Amino acid sequence: MISERRVVVGMSGGVDSSVAAYLLKAQGYDVIGVTMKVWPQDCMSRAEDKCCGPQAVADARGVAHALGIPHYVVDEAEAFEKTVIDYFASEYQQGRTPNPCVMCNEKLKFGNLMEKATRLGAKYIATGHYAQIVEESGQFILKRGVDARKDQSYFLFSLRQEQLARSLMPIGDKTKTEIRAIAEKLGLKVYDKEESQEICFVPGNDYTDFLRSHVGAENFRKGGIYDLQGNYLGEHEGIEFYTIGQRKGLGGGSQGPRYVVDIDAKQHRVIVGGANDLLRDSFTIGRCLWHFKGSVPDAFDVEVKVRHQHASCSATVFPQANQAALVKLKEPQRAITPGQAAVCYLGDRVMGGGWIEREVALLAKETAVATIGK
């Protein structure tokens, strides 16, 4: 039987999810702490200090004991491998730059974990995300967190209404400083725990080293580096080493800085150009999810973020068939990257978004390059 007052809190062993569990207990919820083990046994050494690694499990268990709530560890290693790590590697091999945090949130934290909450008789799951969920006239609205520096709503844009309806984010109306102060006052040992700035499964933030170990260097897609005029500039060791806007690893000999402006995965070619070649005033997104009550407008104005760390920019969105949309920017933006999420906001409210796609015009240009070069 599902209890309206029971909540499963995803506890990562950090200060945010720890305080989230405390706040919900203080509000009278029946709180159950759950930590997802996402590391295969043969990877535990590199996971030691990572999110959901052995130390994280120990820290979460310690906090649960201090708060007087039950704590369980659930093995999600196989699902994490298939849903997040395989996706991460596949995107790089297809010339796109992945966003594994969005995928992990949608499929695991607010997917598999929600299923486990149901089996535990809990209506809700809760996390330590800096974002807010409010209900207005029967619709659940995702909003930015109060702490602009820590806001994580970008990584949650793809959550559907049924997921938002069963989710609680109790720290979204607080700042990081306030959260640490609460944890310190409670005597929780994690109050000053450092935050990882890396993707949790990539040690040292070395993507290529991780990809070597996961897909094998012999499977890297080696090829040539070309400019936009089709001139052959040299060889590269794999398109997996590159992302749009990158400057490193392109060799010298040019009069000005060169940047990766596109990646032709079919021909294993890296296309380079100058800084101005990175600017775009429109792009398309696919697999869109919109948070409108009723029908989606034919066009609407928003602020769009093309990466989590990028500032928002003004745009008009034109929804199209097959969950696609055209995004026209008021001012050109740099390094809009296939594979990343484009998230749309109206004030603090997340209106939805989609995944940035490679443009047909650029593909046509790459095809022309392929016939001219080596």
Side-chain angles (χ1 to χ4, degrees), residues 64-311:
H65 178 75
L67 296 178
I69 62 174
H71 176 261
Y72 301 99
V73 177
V74 296
D75 189 346
E76 290 289 338
E78 183 177 352
F80 189 79
E81 180 86 14
K82 292 179 179 178
T83 304
V84 179
I85 294 180
D86 287 352
Y87 147 80
F88 180 83
S90 175
E91 287 291 280
Y92 271 113
Q93 292 204 296
Q94 294 179 67
R96 297 191 290 263
T97 302
N99 198 314
C101 294
V102 175
M103 198 64 62
C104 183
N105 283 329
E106 178 186 338
K107 304 296 185 182
L108 295 183
K109 293 179 181 176
F110 296 87
N112 289 10
L113 187 58
M114 195 165 281
E115 294 175 5
K116 289 175 173 58
T118 299
R119 291 201 291 269
L120 289 168
K123 178 175 180 179
Y124 298 107
I125 65 166
T127 62
H129 282 101
Y130 285 87
Q132 302 179 83
I133 300 171
V134 298
E135 183 182 1
E136 293 183 5
S137 303
Q139 184 185 23
F140 292 87
I141 297 168
L142 177 66
K143 299 178 66 176
R144 298 180 197 260
V146 166
D147 190 334
R149 296 179 304 107
K150 303 302 297 181
D151 171 50
Q152 293 170 300
S153 59
Y154 173 91
F155 298 111
L156 303 167
F157 87 94
S158 63
L159 298 186
R160 302 180 304 277
Q161 277 292 300
E162 56 267 31
Q163 291 172 302
L164 294 174
R166 294 187 60 191
S167 301
L168 302 175
M169 297 178 187
I171 71 167
D173 62 348
K174 294 178 173 54
T175 66
K176 185 74 174 191
T177 301
E178 290 174 314
I179 295 303
R180 288 200 184 278
I182 292 171
E184 184 176 16
K185 186 176 180 180
L186 292 171
L188 300 181
K189 294 180 180 179
V190 298
Y191 82 90
D192 61 348
K193 187 175 180 178
E194 291 187 9
E195 295 177 282
S196 173
Q197 300 300 314
E198 307 169 353
I199 291 178
C200 68
F201 57 87
V202 181
N205 227 23
D206 189 337
Y207 301 98
T208 53
D209 186 59
F210 175 80
L211 290 170
R212 282 192 190 97
S213 66
H214 187 73
V215 304
E218 69 278 7
N219 295 317
F220 277 16
R221 302 184 179 188
K222 300 179 181 180
I225 301 174
Y226 293 80
D227 64 20
L228 287 167
Q229 288 70 47
N231 299 307
Y232 171 76
L233 304 177
E235 290 292 300
H236 64 77
E237 292 301 307
I239 61 173
E240 296 84 354
F241 285 91
Y242 299 92
T243 186
I244 304 301
Q246 182 174 324
R247 186 174 174 184
K248 293 181 180 179
L250 299 177
S254 62
Q255 293 183 342
R258 289 193 297 226
Y259 302 86
V260 177
V261 298
D262 206 3
I263 298 170
D264 179 357
K266 290 183 178 179
Q267 299 292 330
H268 301 184
R269 297 167 183 258
V270 174
I271 315 300
V272 301
N276 287 340
D277 296 316
L278 288 170
L279 294 173
R280 290 168 60 188
D281 59 9
S282 67
F283 59 94
T284 57
I285 53 178
R287 291 176 287 153
C288 297
L289 176 70
W290 302 113
H291 298 296
F292 287 92
K293 189 168 185 178
S295 60
V296 179
D298 293 336
F300 50 92
D301 294 329
V302 293
E303 295 290 313
V304 63
K305 294 189 75 167
V306 295
R307 285 206 188 200
H308 178 240
Q309 297 296 337
H310 280 208

